[in-house]
Amino acid sequence: MTTRIRDVMSADTASVEPMTTVARAARLMREQDIGDVLVAYDCDLFGVLTDRDIVLRGVAEGRDPEATTVGSLCTRPPLVTLDPEDTTEHAVELMRQHAVRRLPVVERGGCPVGMVSLGDLAATEDPHSALADISAAAPTH
């Protein structure tokens, strides 16, 4: 049976506008216990900001998180994205090809509607794998 992205994606993703400060985005990530936010303006996906982006493109370069915008640090188009009707097999193929762990899900026209992670796919495709177990575990703080 073919599994569609709409059935496994996280639809309650966090998003911020490009002019949001990195500090605000980092606080949002902490509050929601997530590692990425979609950067969008209205219904247009502008980019994706990960915790890794903050560290490598911001902190490591000595940027002030209260003055730096997410638009200046995020991964910008062309982005690899999925449609809600794509298959999980297609998502795995894209992740492997582009060496990414998360993919934004956008509807036709580019409106972001969710995110799918490697953990989401592991839990669906191989629910007894170590990655699925790790992904299902409660976070430690």
Side-chain angles (χ1 to χ4, degrees), residues 39-61:
V39 182
Y41 188 76
D42 288 330
C43 200
D44 291 322
L45 182 61
F46 183 86
V48 176
L49 181 75
T50 67
D51 45 10
R52 189 171 194 269
D53 294 331
I54 293 172
V55 172
L56 297 181
R57 297 178 183 163
V59 175
E61 292 181 9

Side-chain angles (χ1 to χ4, degrees), residues 50-94:
T50 67
D51 45 10
R52 189 171 194 269
D53 294 331
I54 293 172
V55 172
L56 297 181
R57 297 178 183 163
V59 175
E61 292 181 9
R63 293 181 172 202
D64 178 359
E66 293 291 347
T68 304
T69 65
V70 298
S72 66
L73 293 188
C74 69
T75 301
R76 306 229 354 232
L79 296 170
V80 179
T81 62
L82 292 166
D83 183 277
E85 294 304 313
D86 281 334
T87 64
T88 54
E89 292 85 8
H90 182 61
V92 169
E93 179 184 313
L94 286 175

Side-chain angles (χ1 to χ4, degrees), residues 105-133:
V105 182
V106 297
E107 291 182 328
R108 301 205 193 304
C111 188
V113 295
M115 184 75 77
V116 67
S117 71
L118 185 59
D120 295 331
L121 296 175
T124 300
E125 299 296 310
D126 190 3
H128 302 292
S129 69
L131 182 55
D133 290 345

